Amino acid sequence: SGRPPLAYDFASLNVGSTVAGLDVPGVRQHALATRPIADLVERIEAKLDAGARRLVVVGGGAAGVEMAFCLDARLRSMGRAPAITLLTDRERLLPERPPALSERVSAAAARRGIAVVCGAIATAVEADRVLLAGSEPLPSDLTVWVTGAAAWPWLARTGLPTDARGFVRVTDTLQVVEFPALFAAGDCAVLESWPEIPKAGVYAVREGATLVENLR
């Protein structure tokens, strides 16, 4: 924006992703989203230092579970009794994983005193609570938004081939489908041969070597 176009012989899109559900009322103002992650720890520490004890983690995937467990450990290390709620709109934690693992994680949460609320939809976030559809609000000194990856909206406006979620479709060489001079890797891309690949950093890292070799 505001600059002349850049010509290229080859280019690569590596813009990552944003967090799903940022359009839920109050999320941008009152919740801490996990992306961008660069200053996440600093922002969480500032809230904890300010006395936050009642925490709500929205998102029951692997990242949400990890966040809830880490916050529990952090508060205990500060000598503060945590009151953490792990909230998911699915029927169980880790819905993409085997049910046995979900049960083990739920049991581990119970041992730590982390409350797990399944099948609940957050409709809004306020400064001191999370509003739920059809349920009483959850009090919260700190709400962490860990709802999974979403594609940047501008990708769908480029005219490039995207899937139903807005991620750029690429071949196994990481070249954009129908645009061999353009590559895409990491969370912004979706492999045609493996569309269900999780949006997790380990896959983006593994794609790095292929991307470098093919660009060269």
Side-chain angles (χ1 to χ4, degrees):
S1 178
R3 296 173 182 268
L6 292 173
Y8 68 83
D9 296 313
F10 291 94
S12 180
L13 295 172
N14 308 272
V15 295
S17 59
T18 185
V19 179
L22 292 181
D23 54 345
V24 173
V27 169
R28 295 182 186 273
Q29 296 86 352
H30 302 298
L32 294 186
T34 51
R35 301 163 192 250
I37 201 169
D39 60 345
L40 177 64
V41 172
E42 182 178 336
R43 290 184 293 151
I44 288 178
E45 287 292 324
K47 285 281 191 178
L48 297 183
D49 288 342
R53 186 183 70 86
R54 302 173 302 172
L55 278 54
V56 175
V57 177
V58 182
V65 168
E66 182 178 6
M67 180 65 70
F69 282 32
C70 287
L71 288 171
D72 175 75
R74 182 72 183 100
L75 280 169
R76 292 182 187 279
S77 74
M78 299 170 73
R80 197 178 305 166
I84 299 177
T85 300
L86 182 53
L87 181 70
T88 175
D89 60 358
R90 308 296 287 272
E91 293 306 311
R92 62 181 176 90
L93 297 177
L94 305 176
E96 290 83 18
R97 306 289 182 173
L101 179 58
S102 177
E103 292 173 4
R104 290 177 62 188
V105 170
S106 296
R111 288 195 300 270
R112 288 165 171 79
I114 298 172
V116 177
V117 180
C118 297
I121 298 175
T123 58
V125 178
E126 297 180 353
D128 60 353
R129 62 181 185 169
V130 178
L131 305 186
L132 305 178
S135 302
E136 290 294 315
L138 289 172
S140 177
D141 302 321
L142 167 61
T143 300
V144 186
W145 202 255
V146 198
T147 50
W152 292 106
W154 62 267
L155 287 172
R157 301 194 295 267
T158 60
L160 297 174
T162 58
D163 69 0
R165 302 169 298 169
F167 297 106
V168 179
R169 292 160 46 210
V170 297
T171 66
D172 286 354
T173 60
L174 302 179
Q175 290 166 288
V176 176
V177 173
E178 300 177 3
F179 293 88
L182 183 61
F183 291 73
D187 278 2
C188 71
V190 57
L191 286 166
E192 289 269 275
S193 61
W194 191 14
E196 68 275 12
I197 185 173
K199 295 297 178 185
V202 61
Y203 297 104
V205 170
R206 290 173 180 172
E207 288 173 3
T210 298
L211 176 66
V212 168
E213 182 177 344
N214 289 352
L215 282 173
R216 286 175 173 169

